[in-house]
Amino acid sequence: MIIRLDHIGIAVQNVSDALKFFENALGMTLDHVASEEGGKTDVAFLPVGGSEVELVQTQDPESGLGKFLAKRGEGIHHICFEVDDIESALARLRENGAQLIDETPRVNASGMRYAFIHPKSAHGVLIELYQKP
């Protein structure tokens, strides 16, 4: 089911400001910045080994990420696992009583299928599942 840890998502108020720390202080290298969720989210991708750190900034204060930032401030928002079959993974989660935020996968601009598991089912951790196209 799970292939690897794909990324750790970090909610930030401003991607450009956050990059100053991650690039300069930590020495990480920016791969690229993309606009997701129809332009409502900006994401900076910083590869680390076989995974990535994603710095995520929302343009919509009413989104889940916007509400997270307002309530908790900047910090780790989610972890993401790559799976080989997202439909099977979601079915297995349902069979085991997990509460899903996404009953069916969403698709991002690059064709990646993804879905979120509610933190109430995952011991307080927001988990995202990715299936590459």
Side-chain angles (χ1 to χ4, degrees), residues 63-105:
S63 68
L65 182 62
K67 291 175 183 176
F68 175 93
L69 281 163
K71 183 176 181 179
R72 295 188 178 94
E74 296 181 309
I76 293 177
H77 179 257
H78 68 276
I79 62 171
C80 177
F81 296 107
E82 181 183 349
V83 296
D84 56 2
D85 182 344
I86 198 164
E87 297 291 350
S88 294
L90 292 173
R92 180 178 178 165
L93 287 158
R94 277 190 290 276
E95 289 168 9
N96 284 279
Q99 182 179 349
L100 303 175
I101 292 173
D102 300 300
E103 290 290 330
T104 57

Side-chain angles (χ1 to χ4, degrees), residues 29-129:
T29 303
L30 175 66
D31 184 62
H32 68 285
V33 176
S35 180
E36 299 285 343
E37 304 290 327
K40 293 181 182 178
T41 306
D42 296 321
V43 185
F45 298 88
L46 300 125
V48 179
S51 299
E52 291 181 311
V53 169
E54 287 186 359
L55 304 177
V56 188
Q57 172 189 336
T58 186
Q59 304 298 330
D60 180 5
E62 296 303 313
S63 68
L65 182 62
K67 291 175 183 176
F68 175 93
L69 281 163
K71 183 176 181 179
R72 295 188 178 94
E74 296 181 309
I76 293 177
H77 179 257
H78 68 276
I79 62 171
C80 177
F81 296 107
E82 181 183 349
V83 296
D84 56 2
D85 182 344
I86 198 164
E87 297 291 350
S88 294
L90 292 173
R92 180 178 178 165
L93 287 158
R94 277 190 290 276
E95 289 168 9
N96 284 279
Q99 182 179 349
L100 303 175
I101 292 173
D102 300 300
E103 290 290 330
T104 57
R106 299 184 234 176
V107 181
N108 70 13
S110 62
M112 189 81 66
R113 299 177 73 211
Y114 66 101
F116 285 92
I117 303 165
H118 200 286
K120 289 180 181 176
S121 294
H123 303 275
V125 178
L126 178 61
I127 296 177
E128 181 180 18
L129 303 177

Side-chain angles (χ1 to χ4, degrees), residues 11-20 55-58 69 74:
V12 298
Q13 294 290 345
N14 184 288
V15 166
S16 296
D17 289 345
L19 280 171
K20 291 173 189 170
L55 304 177
V56 188
Q57 172 189 336
T58 186
L69 281 163
E74 296 181 309

